[in-house]
Every structure is written in structure tokens, then in C-alpha cells.
């Protein structure tokens, strides 16, 4: 625990001090919501599941401990449970004896309580301070990777540099998720970097790189993706695809404000991608007709973004204000809600050239008619481009948390070793 005017946690040196008041406030917020919820009986007990130290395959080697961020509840909607004793707001301690018979509530078969979901969706000012910190350190680490990368290096060398910077400069022992360090055709694999594809390719001249990495501090996550050419200079094709994605990313951030439906932002990104792919010559025809044929999902087969907070894919649940999404082109966006101040989300549009999706589309009469096959062939093996920003919804727009070079000119200057300040995008506040 750090020594300061207010009790707090930190990793010392220049790392951020996280006030204990942050957690006390969150407990109060949850209790206030539960008291107003008629489905929660008076005298219910809130129980927070703690993490357990585990060993690697029954050896004496421990897996690095990371506390569980999720708060769970039993299937009985009137009972909230915790698996470990915690301090109450009055300062008293819940004793183990208080939990006799707790197993009858089937703790291992749990769901998130909607009031807990709402507390997680809307961030307090203190939580936003920690998220700004994780984004600042992770953004700096991404810039260091851009400056250090050289043709002939391995993808995992960039992963190592990112992790070292986040830990040594920011006290971030954990990543928010497994680092995705793609080069060349690997960038068409959305969750590359797992055990079966462990960031082990040799980076080649002419590759586009897609590095999706985020550090985590006291369970608060960041989630940032940067795309750039391995040799520091964009080709015309790389520039065209990159600027198409950058245009959609910034159009979405400009359009974000309270009351906006998130699926509408996804549709906006899709439309811009289709317009740009038509301009490049990969597609031809009516963009409206392409939208009806769900062509956007061929090039961006994932959702536009997700909630971010205590976990990289923070809870969103099925609270009030949700509407169902059943369009084939938005398969990964089954539920959504209107944006409201205090929400923290990722904005991560991408254009990818994924062989099996392209082959399926070319075999689909409703979609094949839009392709210029000769131009498309030029982009086989290209990989993909994703730009991912972390943002907070404000009263009038959004606040950008991420701070990395984004324009072609800024990226090329950074990769050439320039420390010159770049202009961070500023949408409506």
C-alpha cells in the first residue's frame, strides 16, 4: 500500500496510486442500486468471489496470480453471494461462519446480477483515472514498438518489448489479454498469438503489421491496436486500406454521443469501408446494394467494439435499453444499447482479406457480383488493418484515451525515430 494523503494501492516509483475509496464507492453504488431493486430481498448478502492461486499442471510452479474482477450471483435472483469474507461499509468483517450452507445456492453455476452489470458499465471518475493511466502507458509502449521494429525480427520480440515497457514503466505485471502480434498474412487471423500461433513468424520486408496489445493495472484494462508497415514506409495499397479504416474509425468517434445506438455505429463503419473499397477498385456497384447483401461482414467479421473496464471485454449484459440484433451482417453484435455518459468502449474497425470469407463470398451469387476479381487478387495475402481506440462517452460526445500516431505521416515519422509530438484526434466533447 502506498504512503500518501489518501490510502491507496500502487506498485511504487512513478506508478499510479489507486485509492481505496474507489472500491468503497463501488460497494456503495452497488448497495444503493440493490436497495432500489424490488427483486432483491432485504437482508441479502453480497459476496465477491476471490481468485485462487493455481499451479501449472500439478507441479510446484505457480501461475502468476490475478484477482477475479467479476462479481457473481447465484441463479436465485433474490440472493447475492460472496465466496470470501469482505469488509462491509461499516467496517465490520463478514465471518466465515456467516456462510454456512452457502453451497445450496449452486455457486459454481452463476450469472451476473443486472445491478452489478450496470455498476460495471458506468465508470466513476476514479475508475476513469486508472483507465487513462493504463492507456497512457500502453500507448507509450506501442510507440516504442513502432520505433524498434526491423525487418527480420520475430513477432514475439515486439511482444516482449511491449510487455517489458508496460511492466518496467507502468508496474503492469499482467496484460489485459494475450498479445496479438501479426505480420503479413497473419493479420487476417483475428485472434492470432495464441498457443497454436505464438507470434513466431519472421517479419518480412513489405509486410503490414497489426499489433493488438494492452497492459493492465489493478485489473483495469487497456485494448489498443496499431497497424503499420514493417519497413516504415506505406505502399500505395497499404496506404489505401489503412486510410479507409482510419476514416471509418474517426467517423464513428465523431458520431458518438449519448443516445446513439451502437449498431448504428457499426453500420456507419461498414458503409465507409464499402465506399473506400469501391474507390480502391476492389468492389464496384451500388454501396446501398452492398449493404443489403451484407458485404461489410466479408471484410470486417467482428463487432465494432466492446465495453472496457475491469476486464478487456467488460460486462454489458442484458440491462434495460437493450434491443436485439438479428441481421446476418452483425452476427457478432447480438445485443446492443444506446450510448450514455460514463461508458468506456473500444472503437476497432478493420478491413481484412480472409481467404475463406472471400471464397465464400465469391461463391455467393448475391455477393460475387460486386467483386473486381483481378484487383482483389492483388490483395490476397495482404493480411489486414485494424485501428483500435479506447474512448469514454461524455455528455456531448467522447473522450479519446489512446494516444498513438494514427495518420500515415505520423506513423512514418515515429518509425523513423521522431519524438515530435503528434496531433491526437479530438472529436466532439
Amino acid at each position: 500500500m502506498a504512503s500518501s494523503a489518501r490510502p491507496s494501492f500502487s506498485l511504487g516509483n512513478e506508478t499510479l496510486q489507486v485509492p481505496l475509496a474507489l472500491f468503497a464507492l463501488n460497494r456503495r453504488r452497488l448497495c444503493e442500486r440493490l436497495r432500489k431493486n424490488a427483486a432483491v430481498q432485504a437482508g441479502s448478502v453480497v459476496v465477491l468471489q476471490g481468485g485462487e492461486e493455481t499451479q501449472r499442471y500439478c507441479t510446484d510452479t505457480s501461475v502468476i496470480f490475478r484477482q477475479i474482477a467479476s462479481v457473481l450471483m447465484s441463479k436465485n435472483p433474490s440472493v447475492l453471494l460472496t465466496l470470501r469474507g469482505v469488509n462491509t461499509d461499516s467496517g465490520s468483517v463478514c465471518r466465515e461462519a456467516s456462510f454456512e450452507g452457502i453451497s445450496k445456492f449452486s455457486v459454481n453455476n452463476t450469472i451476473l446480477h443486472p445491478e452489478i452489470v450496470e455498476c460495471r458499465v458506468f465508470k466513476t471518475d476514479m475508475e476513469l483515472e486508472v483507465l487513462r493511466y493504463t492507456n497512457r502507458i500502453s500507448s507509450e509502449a506501442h510507440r516504442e514498438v513502432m520505433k524498434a521494429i526491423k525487418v527480420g525480427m520475430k513477432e514475439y520480440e515486439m511482444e516482449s518489448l511491449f510487455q517489458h515497457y508496460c511492466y518496467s514503466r507502468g508496474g503492469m505485471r499482467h496484460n489485459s489479454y494475450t498479445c496479438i502480434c501479426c505480420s503479413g498474412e497473419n493479420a487476417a487471423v483475428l485472434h492470432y498469438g495464441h498457443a497454436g500461433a505464438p507470434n513466431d513468424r519472421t517479419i518480412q520486408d513489405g509486410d503490414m503489421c497489426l499489433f493488438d496489445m494492452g497492459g493492465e493495472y489493478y485489473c483495469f484494462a487497456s485494448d489498443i491496436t496499431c497497424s503499420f508497415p514493417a519497413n516504415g514506409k506505406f505502399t500505395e495499397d497499404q496506404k489505401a486500406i489503412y486510410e479507409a479504416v482510419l476514416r471509418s474509425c474517426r467517423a464513428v468517434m465523431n458520431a458518438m454521443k449519448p443516445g446513439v445506438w451502437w449498431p448504428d455505429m457499426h453500420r456507419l463503419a461498414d458503409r465507409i469501408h464499402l465506399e473506400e473499397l469501391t474507390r480502391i477498385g476492389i468492389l464496384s456497384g451500388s454501396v446501398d446494394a452492398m449493404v443489403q447483401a451484407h458485404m461489410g461482414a466479408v471484410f470486417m467479421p467482428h463487432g465494432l467494439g466492446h465495453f472496457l473496464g475491469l476486464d478487456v471485454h467488460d460486462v454489458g449484459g442484458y440491462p434495460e435499453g437493450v434491443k436485439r440484433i438479428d441481421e446476418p451482417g452483425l452476427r457478432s453484435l447480438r445485443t446492443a444499447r444506446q450510448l450514455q455518459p460514463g461508458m468506456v468502449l473500444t472503437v476497432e474497425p478493420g478491413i481484412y482479406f480472409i481467404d475463406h470469407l472471400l471464397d465464400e463470398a465469391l461463391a455467393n451469387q448475391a455477393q460475387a457480383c460486386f467483386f473486381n476479381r483481378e484487383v482483389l487478387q492483388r490483395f490476397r495475402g495482404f493480411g489486414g488493418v485494424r485501428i483500435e481506440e479506447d474512448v469514454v462517452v461524455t455528455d456531448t460526445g467522447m473522450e479519446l484515451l489512446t494516444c498513438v500516431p494514427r495518420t500515415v505521416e505520423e506513423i512514418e515519422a515515429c518509425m523513423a525515430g521522431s519524438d515530435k509530438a503528434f496531433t491526437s484526434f479530438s472529436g466532439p466533447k
Side-chain angles (χ1 to χ4, degrees):
M1 188 178 297
S3 59
S4 64
R6 57 180 183 177
S8 60
F9 295 106
S10 83
L11 270 294
N13 295 334
E14 301 301 318
T15 62
L16 181 72
Q17 295 186 353
V18 180
L20 270 64
L22 181 156
F23 306 101
L25 175 59
N26 283 343
R27 289 197 297 272
R28 289 197 298 272
R29 291 169 65 212
L30 176 59
C31 289
E32 288 168 3
R33 293 192 67 97
L34 292 172
R35 290 189 187 102
K36 296 175 183 178
N37 190 325
V40 179
Q41 298 176 4
S44 295
V45 179
V46 177
V47 184
L48 311 178
Q49 179 176 347
E52 296 181 358
E53 189 173 45
T54 59
Q55 290 187 340
R56 185 191 303 167
Y57 307 128
C58 300
T59 68
D60 288 332
T61 304
S62 296
V63 177
I64 297 176
F65 179 80
R66 192 270 195 189
Q67 186 56 273
I68 296 175
S70 297
V71 181
L72 302 179
M73 145 188 183
S74 85
K75 293 173 65 177
N76 183 338
S78 65
V79 181
L80 297 172
L81 300 176
T82 359
L83 303 185
R84 295 187 185 277
V86 293
N87 289 334
T88 65
D89 287 338
S90 64
S92 61
V93 177
C94 299
R95 299 297 180 185
E96 185 176 349
S98 302
F99 300 126
E100 291 180 0
I102 199 170
S103 60
K104 69 180 181 180
F105 297 117
S106 301
V107 173
N108 289 331
N109 189 4
T110 56
I111 58 174
L112 286 170
H113 191 281
E115 302 298 355
I116 294 170
V117 169
E118 290 301 282
C119 287
R120 290 276 292 271
V121 165
F122 298 99
K123 273 61 177 181
T124 66
D125 289 343
M126 285 186 285
E127 288 177 314
L128 290 177
E129 183 181 2
V130 186
L131 289 168
R132 291 186 183 100
Y133 175 79
T134 62
N135 264 267
R136 178 175 65 81
I137 297 297
S138 297
S139 294
E140 291 173 3
H142 270 282
R143 297 200 297 271
E144 291 302 307
V145 166
M146 285 186 188
K147 293 176 184 178
I149 190 169
K150 296 289 186 296
V151 170
M153 299 177 78
K154 291 286 189 178
E155 294 164 332
Y156 66 75
E157 293 182 71
M158 301 299 96
E159 175 184 17
S160 174
L161 175 58
F162 179 88
Q163 292 175 328
H164 173 71
Y165 189 97
C166 287
Y167 199 0
S168 63
R169 301 295 183 90
M172 298 179 181
R173 192 176 196 186
H174 294 277
N175 296 321
S176 302
Y177 49 94
T178 302
C179 289
I180 301 169
C181 298
C182 314
S183 61
E185 60 189 17
N186 289 342
V189 182
L190 299 184
H191 281 270
Y192 180 77
H194 55 79
N199 297 325
D200 59 353
R201 181 178 181 272
T202 300
I203 298 168
Q204 300 174 21
D205 194 16
D207 281 348
M208 274 294 288
C209 295
L210 187 161
F211 287 180
D212 185 341
M213 304 180 287
E216 177 186 281
Y217 191 70
Y218 283 99
C219 293
F220 285 89
S222 61
D223 190 359
I224 301 169
T225 307
C226 296
S227 297
F228 49 87
N231 61 15
K233 290 290 183 180
F234 285 84
T235 66
E236 287 303 312
D237 282 346
Q238 290 171 346
K239 179 179 178 181
I241 299 300
Y242 182 86
E243 290 188 333
V245 178
L246 182 62
R247 180 189 163 203
S248 71
C249 185
R250 293 191 164 180
V252 166
M253 292 193 292
N254 267 321
M256 291 178 68
K257 62 182 179 181
V260 168
W261 283 101
W262 192 238
D264 292 337
M265 298 295 93
H266 186 111
R267 295 185 186 96
L268 173 61
D270 270 349
R271 175 171 287 275
I272 290 174
H273 292 167
L274 296 174
E275 290 173 353
E276 291 294 313
L277 291 168
T278 300
R279 183 186 61 79
I280 294 166
I282 296 171
L283 302 177
S284 63
S286 164
V287 172
D288 287 338
M290 294 178 199
V291 170
Q292 291 299 314
H294 306 299
M295 287 293 291
V298 175
F299 296 95
M300 188 174 77
H302 61 71
L304 177 65
H306 52 80
F307 288 119
L308 178 75
L310 280 173
D311 286 306
V312 66
H313 289 177
D314 210 352
V315 294
Y318 296 84
E320 67 277 2
V322 163
K323 65 178 181 181
R324 297 289 295 179
I325 304 299
D326 295 315
E327 300 174 28
L330 297 179
R331 293 186 186 92
S332 58
L333 214 63
R334 290 304 184 193
T335 63
R337 57 186 296 170
Q338 289 175 301
L339 299 183
Q340 297 179 51
M343 291 179 171
V344 178
L345 306 98
T346 65
V347 178
E348 48 181 305
I351 292 177
Y352 315 88
F353 296 89
I354 303 172
D355 282 338
H356 77 271
L357 293 183
L358 294 172
D359 292 339
E360 287 178 3
L362 288 168
N364 181 336
Q365 186 176 0
Q367 296 179 323
C369 59
F370 298 111
F371 285 101
N372 292 321
R373 294 177 184 244
E374 289 185 6
V375 180
L376 175 63
Q377 189 62 33
R378 195 170 79 228
F379 287 86
R380 292 280 194 165
F382 179 97
V385 167
R386 179 165 64 251
I387 297 173
E388 184 174 18
E389 308 277 28
D390 298 344
V391 303
V392 184
V393 181
T394 65
D395 290 335
T396 58
M398 66 90 210
E399 173 194 347
L400 178 62
L401 302 179
T402 313
C403 188
V404 294
R406 285 304 189 196
T407 69
V408 167
E409 295 74 21
E410 290 169 350
I411 291 171
E412 290 184 346
C414 178
M415 296 185 71
S418 173
D419 289 320
K420 181 180 178 181
F422 51 90
T423 303
S424 182
F425 175 79
S426 178
K429 298 296 186 182

